[in-house]
Amino acid sequence: MEQPADISHTVVGTWRLVSFHVETEGSNEQQLWEGWDEHPVGCVIFTKDGRMLALLTSGDRIASATADQLIRSMCAYSGRYRVEGSRLSTIVDSAWLPAWVGTEQPRTFKRDGDTLSLMTDFQDHPMYPGRRTRSVLMWRRE
């Protein structure tokens, strides 16, 4: 993916995770991601040459947790990204979830100074049966 030169500066840099919640389509309902606490930890890095890497974890992870508990409290992926208007799409080449590898992960983004919000599209998700949800992540530039 070739990165448009005039837009790359919008997201390029290292961003620290501030908040992570889920919104339900058609309501004002917001909730924490299933199994996550109010203090997530993580960063996302966007390079000038169009690469990104994201690592997110719940803030309350403990070493004695089971592997299943630990995998449910993290997200990590990388790939080539492009920006088109207010849309950012990543073609995933490495991920904590093998099903993501080779997929395109689109996000809507909004930049306000040193704050960046990223939102997934509303979608069906097995953790929230019968509801369409989207993830909303807030980041602050480091």
Side-chain angles (χ1 to χ4, degrees), residues 17-128:
L17 186 61
V18 174
S19 66
F20 178 16
H21 69 270
V22 175
E23 294 179 349
T24 299
E25 189 173 37
S27 80
N28 292 329
E29 179 185 348
Q30 293 182 357
Q31 65 187 68
L32 296 176
W33 185 254
E34 184 73 28
W36 286 54
D37 68 344
E38 294 180 12
H39 305 287
V41 177
C43 70
V44 62
I45 301 166
F46 295 100
T47 67
K48 288 181 190 176
D49 65 347
R51 301 263 331 146
M52 68 78 63
L53 171 89
L55 172 64
L56 300 80
T57 68
S58 179
D60 63 354
R61 291 165 45 103
I62 56 172
S64 61
T66 66
D68 183 58
Q69 290 168 326
L70 292 171
I71 199 75
R72 288 178 175 272
S73 64
M74 74 165 294
C75 173
Y77 67 103
S78 68
R80 307 270 319 147
Y81 77 92
R82 71 177 182 279
V83 173
E84 297 172 341
S86 63
R87 298 288 283 177
L88 183 149
S89 295
T90 302
I91 300 295
V92 178
D93 59 20
S94 177
W96 96 116
L97 186 63
W100 274 28
V101 175
T103 67
E104 184 166 354
Q105 294 296 314
R107 307 288 185 259
T108 299
F109 79 93
K110 181 179 178 187
R111 167 96 186 274
D112 184 13
D114 286 341
T115 302
L116 175 69
S117 63
L118 293 172
M119 292 174 288
T120 65
D121 295 335
F122 281 106
Q123 57 195 324
D124 295 321
H125 195 285
M127 291 178 74
Y128 304 99

